[in-house]
Amino acid sequence: MEVESKEWILAQYVGEGVPTSEHLKLRTSNLKITKDVLPDDHVMLRLHWLSVDPYLRAKMSSQQDGLYLSQFHLNQAVTTFGVGEVIESKHSGLSFGEIVIHPFAPVAEYCIAPASFLRKIDPDSGVSVLDYISALGIPGFAAWVGIVVLGDPKPGENVFISAAAGGVGVFAGQLAKLKGCRVVGSVGSDVKVKFLKEEIGYDEAFNYNVETDYDAALSKYFPNGIDIYLDNVGGRMLEAVLNHVNSRARIPLCGMISQYNKVWTEREGVRNLLNMVGKEVRMEGFMLASYMNRFGEFLEEMIGYIKQRKIVSEHKIYHGIESFLESFGSLFTSSNVGKVIVQVNKDAKA
């Protein structure tokens, strides 16, 4: 049996701005579904769900910069965190019909993968497949490392989270609340403000497009200062935060989405780093690969929260492999609430 498989390739590296159809192109190829085409200890997957994350932008850049991730190769498929179904196997531990997580899945409809890369999902775990991409995937793990490990929150502390209605921010706020903190988030629309306060449990939230004087906004929402700031945006917001930090505040740097589409000479600087000295502030960037030794601990804690309904997820689903370019571009606007995911085929079960 032979199938047609569409996949997104990087045709041209991206300098400034959001990738377009000039950079990312949809390519179609034919793939035989048979054991004969599989190397030993490999499986063939029909991909069901694909994660769409801002960090992928750094891998499409024309130069290694900032996140220091290896770049995608030109004319090869872009890869991301995905979930798929085994449709052919040459590995004794994986059988037809099993659902697996693939951390380096191509943005495609089908693929061949080494079995060693894959992790089976227990269909009787009581956890949604989508949670393995969001709460138990890259966004949830980033939130957990940022808040629980590096933030080390204490009950009663004041926590601020930027891009708070995004994939990471939704879980970061909930984790901080579970640790007994007061939590405030910044977002790009009034709809998101309402969402955070009414559905996610944030104590306060503000629209940075309305309250454009960030220094005044932080004075209003943090009269007693900021103890932990999970930074997802960088730029002017990070600078404003440094005027409101308490002694020994922690600032885990998860991402800086406001700066990704600019060359470094055009990015906004931070002029008040001296505040970190007098307040003895710790600012620390992190990459998830450095914390994989804590992944089992993270899963145990988060699965417990999910089953107790103490952590909830919000997903923005785009349909069809063709929607990847649109879904990726949406990350750099204020249009999405929650984790952005592509549903590759309409039969995929959540």
Side-chain angles (χ1 to χ4, degrees):
M1 179 181 173
E2 192 171 85
V3 294
E4 220 178 50
S5 180
K6 299 186 184 75
E7 63 179 3
W8 284 93
I9 65 165
L10 184 66
Q12 182 180 319
Y13 284 119
V14 188
E16 294 182 74
V18 178
T20 68
S21 58
E22 291 298 309
H23 308 103
L24 292 167
K25 293 188 181 295
L26 193 61
R27 179 172 69 187
T28 301
S29 59
N30 292 319
L31 194 63
K32 287 184 178 179
I33 303 179
T34 170
K35 271 192 171 67
D36 297 340
V37 302
L38 289 178
D40 289 341
D41 296 319
H42 282 63
V43 301
M44 187 173 292
L45 300 178
R46 185 185 186 195
L47 292 160
H48 288 340
W49 306 94
L50 295 170
S51 180
V52 185
D53 300 289
Y55 80 89
L56 297 174
R57 173 62 180 82
K59 294 175 69 67
M60 300 175 189
S61 182
S62 55
Q63 58 183 11
Q64 204 171 53
D65 174 45
L67 292 180
Y68 296 99
L69 295 165
S70 58
Q71 294 157 288
F72 292 127
H73 296 296
L74 289 178
N75 299 314
Q76 292 188 19
V78 171
T79 60
T80 187
F81 194 91
V83 171
E85 178 181 358
V86 177
I87 57 172
E88 193 61 81
S89 176
K90 257 194 183 179
H91 182 73
S92 58
L94 291 172
S95 304
F96 178 85
E98 289 187 310
I99 305 300
V100 297
I101 293 168
H102 188 346
F104 311 107
V107 179
E109 293 175 301
Y110 296 85
C111 74
I112 293 172
S116 59
F117 282 4
L118 311 177
R119 182 162 57 90
K120 280 193 282 190
I121 291 177
D122 179 2
D124 301 317
S125 67
V127 176
S128 162
V129 168
L130 294 184
D131 278 329
Y132 283 95
I133 288 184
S134 55
L136 303 177
I138 290 171
F141 192 33
W144 187 83
V145 171
I147 294 295
V148 177
V149 179
L150 299 180
D152 189 22
K154 309 294 189 298
E157 287 193 316
N158 293 306
V159 177
F160 178 44
I161 298 166
S162 53
V168 174
V170 163
F171 300 117
Q174 293 179 84
L175 285 168
K177 288 297 294 180
L178 286 166
K179 302 300 180 182
C181 299
R182 176 179 174 269
V183 184
V184 178
S186 63
V187 290
S189 73
D190 291 338
V191 170
K192 291 184 179 182
V193 168
K194 184 178 180 182
F195 164 72
L196 287 182
K197 293 172 70 173
E198 295 183 3
E199 298 185 42
I200 301 302
Y202 271 67
D203 294 287
E204 289 289 350
F206 67 92
N207 180 351
Y208 60 79
N209 288 315
V210 174
E211 300 190 57
T212 55
D213 184 337
Y214 299 165
D215 199 61
L218 294 178
S219 294
K220 173 182 172 182
Y221 293 104
F222 291 99
N224 298 314
I226 297 170
D227 298 298
I228 300 171
Y229 170 49
L230 182 65
D231 187 20
N232 290 301
V233 301
R236 289 200 302 124
M237 191 65 80
L238 175 58
E239 184 173 83
V241 165
L242 288 174
N243 288 330
H244 297 271
V245 286
N246 288 330
S247 178
R248 298 190 182 278
R250 288 82 73 199
I251 303 178
L253 301 174
C254 182
M256 296 189 175
I257 197 168
S258 72
Q259 310 299 303
Y260 288 168
N261 292 313
K262 302 174 183 178
V263 295
W264 78 268
T265 52
E266 301 300 320
R267 291 174 184 157
E268 294 159 308
V270 177
R271 299 166 294 181
N272 54 352
L273 290 173
L274 190 58
N275 290 343
M276 294 181 62
V277 180
K279 294 288 183 71
E280 298 181 291
V281 173
R282 190 183 82 235
M283 185 187 296
E284 184 173 353
F286 66 96
M287 298 293 283
L288 295 183
S290 298
Y291 293 87
M292 290 310 296
N293 63 317
R294 306 286 299 270
F295 193 73
E297 181 186 347
F298 152 73
L299 283 180
E300 184 178 358
E301 183 173 344
M302 289 294 278
I303 288 174
Y305 288 146
I306 291 169
K307 289 184 175 180
Q308 297 169 53
R309 300 185 185 280
K310 291 181 177 180
I311 289 278
V312 298
S313 300
E314 183 71 21
H315 306 115
K316 170 62 177 177
I317 308 293
Y318 287 79
H319 300 282
I321 194 70
E322 296 83 0
S323 68
F324 174 72
L325 182 60
E326 177 191 0
S327 68
F328 187 70
S330 76
L331 296 174
F332 303 96
T333 70
S334 294
S335 61
N336 296 316
V337 173
K339 178 74 189 80
V340 178
I341 299 172
V342 169
Q343 181 180 7
V344 181
N345 68 77
K346 62 183 179 181
D347 301 324
K349 295 178 181 178

